[in-house]
Amino acid sequence: TQLLEQSPQFLSIQEGENLTVYCNSSSVFSSLQWYRQEPGEGPVLLVTVVTGGEVKKLKRLTFQFGDARKDSSLHITAAQPGDTGLYLCAGGSGSRLTFGEGTQLTVNP
Amino acid sequence: NAGVTQTPKFRILKIGQSMTLQCTQDMNHNYMYWYRQDPGMGLKLIYYSVGAGITDKGEVPNGYNVSRSTTEDFPLRLELAAPSQTSVYFCASSYLAGAGEQYFGPGTRLTVT
């Protein structure tokens, strides 16, 4: 069974601070996706990374896929209250995705 | 396009009752998935389908059944509901397997008492 561990599980910060969320596994994945989920809604894709060492930037969000394709990180610069939500990483293998447990981020004004 | 639609949005079941959660997508995606999400947790894969007529078990299939007679529809059947099945259920579809973006429905919140 492939497992993805996310840390931290909960994160509460002030507006303007930087933060990093980690997603780790002992398994190799063909791709790694990050989703954001708001209360009462389904997850929405933020980014997909497929190459070991790949770095992608989406405005204030920076995503990195580990060289061995077993881990990933999400860094947010100058967090804003609108960044509040549940961040989920998901590893792709075959036809399926394996999701991590999520990081609940709260950005206080 | 409506994307992925799920019905009902909320449901309360008594122990031992059965029900079907409906899922429809209008994006002509071959791949469809059912997940459950317990409070404050990630998503666990229940069943998935790679095309009409083809389904396979995920991580937590016990107590559930699925069918995929058309590309658009992927209903999830709960037989003999148990309190452990209290959860939020999400249906998703994707054009590509694995690395493909999954589009999620709004979810069905199910309570079994």
Side-chain angles (χ1 to χ4, degrees), chain A residues 43 88 99-100, chain B residues 35-37 41-45 59 90 104:
Chain A
L88 296 159
F99 280 84
Chain B
Y35 296 91
R36 59 176 287 172
Q37 185 176 35
M41 304 290 279
L43 296 117
K44 301 291 186 186
L45 182 65
E59 302 171 66
F90 288 100
F104 285 82

Side-chain angles (χ1 to χ4, degrees), chain A residues 4-9 21-23 34 87-89 100-103:
Chain A
L4 277 169
E5 295 183 352
Q6 285 188 240
S7 61
Q9 188 175 0
V21 175
Y22 299 93
C23 176
W34 285 91
Y87 289 81
L88 296 159
C89 67
E101 299 297 311
T103 294

Side-chain angles (χ1 to χ4, degrees), chain B residues 44-89:
Chain B
K44 301 291 186 186
L45 182 65
I46 305 171
Y47 271 95
Y48 67 103
S49 170
V50 301
I54 307 170
T55 63
D56 206 350
K57 296 178 180 179
E59 302 171 66
V60 289
N62 292 344
Y64 308 94
N65 277 300
V66 293
S67 59
R68 182 95 182 272
S69 57
T70 67
T71 298
E72 294 78 21
D73 300 307
F74 190 38
L76 177 71
R77 178 82 177 162
L78 277 73
E79 304 282 2
L80 298 174
S84 61
Q85 293 178 304
T86 293
S87 190
V88 181
Y89 291 84

Side-chain angles (χ1 to χ4, degrees), chain B residues 20-38:
Chain B
T20 299
L21 282 66
Q22 302 292 344
C23 175
T24 300
Q25 54 94 7
D26 63 0
M27 296 172 283
N28 202 32
H29 288 168
N30 282 327
Y31 300 90
M32 294 189 75
Y33 307 85
W34 273 107
Y35 296 91
R36 59 176 287 172
Q37 185 176 35
D38 297 328

Side-chain angles (χ1 to χ4, degrees), chain A residues 21-73:
Chain A
V21 175
Y22 299 93
C23 176
N24 296 295
S25 176
S26 58
S27 303
V28 175
F29 290 99
S30 58
S31 66
L32 203 294
Q33 299 181 352
W34 285 91
Y35 288 79
R36 186 173 135 211
Q37 184 179 20
E38 300 197 16
E41 299 181 6
V44 176
L45 181 70
L46 294 173
V47 76
T48 300
V49 285
V50 297
T51 304
E54 183 176 3
V55 177
K56 279 192 175 179
K57 292 191 176 183
L58 183 66
K59 296 183 180 178
R60 293 177 294 99
L61 279 62
T62 301
F63 304 86
Q64 185 163 6
F65 200 13
D67 291 341
R69 291 188 291 142
K70 293 182 179 181
D71 56 88
S72 180
S73 64

Side-chain angles (χ1 to χ4, degrees), chain A residues 64-108:
Chain A
Q64 185 163 6
F65 200 13
D67 291 341
R69 291 188 291 142
K70 293 182 179 181
D71 56 88
S72 180
S73 64
L74 158 60
H75 182 79
I76 300 179
T77 303
Q80 299 176 0
D83 295 327
T84 293
L86 180 67
Y87 289 81
L88 296 159
C89 67
S93 179
S95 301
R96 305 161 50 151
L97 285 178
T98 298
F99 280 84
E101 299 297 311
T103 294
Q104 181 62 53
L105 171 65
T106 302
V107 182
N108 303 298

